[in-house]
Amino acid sequence: MLEVAIRHRVGEFTLDAAFVSPGGTLAVVGPSGAGKSLTLKAIAGILRPDAGRIVIGGLVVFDGESGLDLPPQLRKVGYVPQEYALFPHLTVDGNIGFGLHAGADRAARIAELLALTGLGRQRGLRPAQLSGGQRQRVALARALAVRPTVLLLDEPFSAVDAPTRITLMEDVARVLADARTPAVLVTHNRDEALRLGDRIAVMMSGRVRQVGSPSEVFSAPVDEDVAAFVGVETVVEGRVRDVVAGLATIAVGQRVVEAGGEVAAGDEVLVCLRPEDVTLGPPAESAPTSARNHLPATVRRVTAAGPWMRVEVDAGFPVVSLVTKQSHQELQLQTGAPVVATFKASAVHLIRKRGR
């Protein structure tokens, strides 16, 4: 269990972070400058907050009111900084075992971590002889060597290229699962948070705005800022006309959208849709579907998005959809083409507008 409630000021920036992580991996995600790394350094004992309290595994390591501030070596944390901070003159073995006492147990622990991270063949090499991914594994193994109560990972994939990052994420996920060590991962990358986080905390402007499971955070963001960050591309204003049996009818401009949600007639809301939840079809689409929302629309813009095509349409309000390249060709999705935008009521997330 990790409990954090701290406040710290750096120039004009104020960090006011509070969250609880019961175990597993908590991915702290947010834009650059949100205060993620400052929070991690405070947990590790590298940064002393101005006020607050930090509890790691039941041990109070910082308490601003009493003045308690345990040094890093007494906090039982493993810390992997962005730059890895490996000792250039030591081998892989030497780096992994740096914080361990001499003896048979030390050798056994190093061997265990070499096997866990797949570094057995590199054990005699120095950091300059390793790839970026291998150096990252050494840093991870060194942090795990002391059997920490919690492992702290600060942007662990920022120093490697995209292909290596994908493989490395799989490796780290496996190592964390095998080591069974609770972890806090700091990242600005949504994919990393989704792949590695059992729970996700979204941090913006020094504050934790939402904490929950990946599905809760990415499908039901608490506000417009969080929605934009987690990839909800359609966010439009609406007013609830009626609610019958849990199904809300919402006026969005001149159109009507049906959605589930705990709202009442007259509520002003933000209607949120992820692009992958919107399908596009031809104007005369007659195929059976369980989706309640079928909106005539016109294609406004089409751009490539990796293996997908991102299609912006005007359905009486702006809607974004992701379609396969095959669907893009079959539907001839060019600017000005008529289509039908379809999405389920359950795919719509409603946020009550601020001030309501």
Side-chain angles (χ1 to χ4, degrees):
M1 175 78 77
L2 172 66
E3 302 171 58
V4 176
I6 55 173
R7 185 178 178 84
H8 187 70
R9 189 174 180 84
V10 182
E12 297 298 315
F13 178 80
T14 299
L15 175 68
D16 193 0
F19 59 85
V20 174
S21 178
T25 297
L26 173 70
V28 181
V29 64
S32 297
K36 306 183 301 296
S37 293
L38 283 178
T39 302
L40 212 63
K41 289 177 180 177
I43 298 170
I46 300 169
L47 169 75
R48 180 187 176 113
D50 296 331
R53 183 178 170 91
I54 301 172
V55 184
I56 301 174
L59 174 67
V60 180
V61 299
F62 174 77
D63 185 84
E65 187 173 346
S66 67
L68 174 66
D69 184 26
L70 291 185
Q73 64 271 24
L74 296 182
R75 296 194 177 200
K76 292 216 68 176
V77 301
Y79 179 58
V80 181
Q82 292 183 30
E83 67 279 2
Y84 307 149
L86 300 178
F87 298 106
H89 63 291
L90 296 181
T91 63
V92 169
D93 269 23
N95 270 283
I96 293 175
F98 182 79
L100 300 174
H101 297 296
D105 288 346
R106 180 179 187 275
R109 183 60 174 159
I110 291 173
E112 179 184 353
L113 289 163
L114 287 170
L116 187 66
T117 54
L119 289 167
R121 294 184 179 181
Q122 290 79 33
R123 63 184 308 166
L125 301 181
R126 289 178 169 77
Q129 299 171 291
L130 303 174
S131 68
Q134 290 168 341
R135 286 194 291 271
Q136 200 276 346
R137 291 186 184 93
V138 176
L140 180 60
R142 184 180 61 183
L144 288 168
V146 296
R147 293 185 170 86
T149 302
V150 62
L151 179 67
L152 309 176
L153 303 163
D154 192 359
E155 300 278 7
F157 313 112
S158 61
V160 297
D161 56 38
T164 303
R165 185 179 300 120
I166 295 171
T167 302
L168 212 47
M169 275 196 287
E170 298 294 331
D171 291 344
V172 170
R174 175 184 55 78
V175 169
L176 291 177
D178 291 347
R180 297 182 180 179
T181 301
V184 179
L185 164 74
V186 157
T187 178
H188 64 273
N189 187 295
R190 299 192 303 253
D191 292 337
E192 292 176 12
L194 276 171
R195 176 64 187 87
L196 296 172
D198 298 303
R199 288 172 61 78
I200 292 176
V202 181
M203 179 174 278
M204 293 182 167
S205 302
R207 293 176 177 268
V208 176
R209 303 279 279 272
Q210 184 173 0
V211 181
S213 68
S215 61
E216 289 171 341
V217 172
F218 280 76
S219 298
V222 295
D223 59 40
E224 187 174 1
D225 293 336
V226 174
F229 183 79
V230 300
V232 177
E233 295 201 58
T234 298
V235 181
V236 293
E237 296 182 353
R239 181 182 290 273
V240 180
R241 286 184 175 177
D242 196 9
V243 181
V244 178
L247 189 67
T249 301
I250 303 149
V252 183
Q254 300 301 311
R255 297 294 178 86
V256 173
V257 170
E258 293 187 347
E262 297 181 0
V263 293
D267 280 351
E268 292 184 357
V269 296
L270 295 174
V271 176
C272 304
L273 272 170
R274 297 191 64 85
E276 58 268 31
D277 290 330
V278 179
T279 60
L280 300 180
E285 183 68 70
S286 58
T289 172
S290 61
R292 283 187 166 270
N293 297 287
H294 306 270
L295 304 179
T298 303
V299 175
R300 292 303 184 209
R301 188 181 182 195
V302 181
T303 54
W308 301 89
M309 298 300 291
R310 181 179 181 275
V311 185
E312 301 173 38
V313 303
D314 181 355
F317 55 89
V319 175
V320 178
S321 174
L322 285 178
V323 303
T324 64
K325 292 184 177 179
Q326 180 178 347
S327 293
H328 167 252
Q329 293 175 347
E330 291 176 350
L331 293 171
Q332 298 181 357
L333 297 176
Q334 306 298 326
T335 300
V339 293
V340 172
T342 301
F343 49 92
K344 295 183 178 180
S346 59
V348 181
H349 173 58
L350 301 177
I351 301 174
R352 282 193 177 90
K353 291 185 67 175
R354 293 172 182 171
R356 294 286 298 179

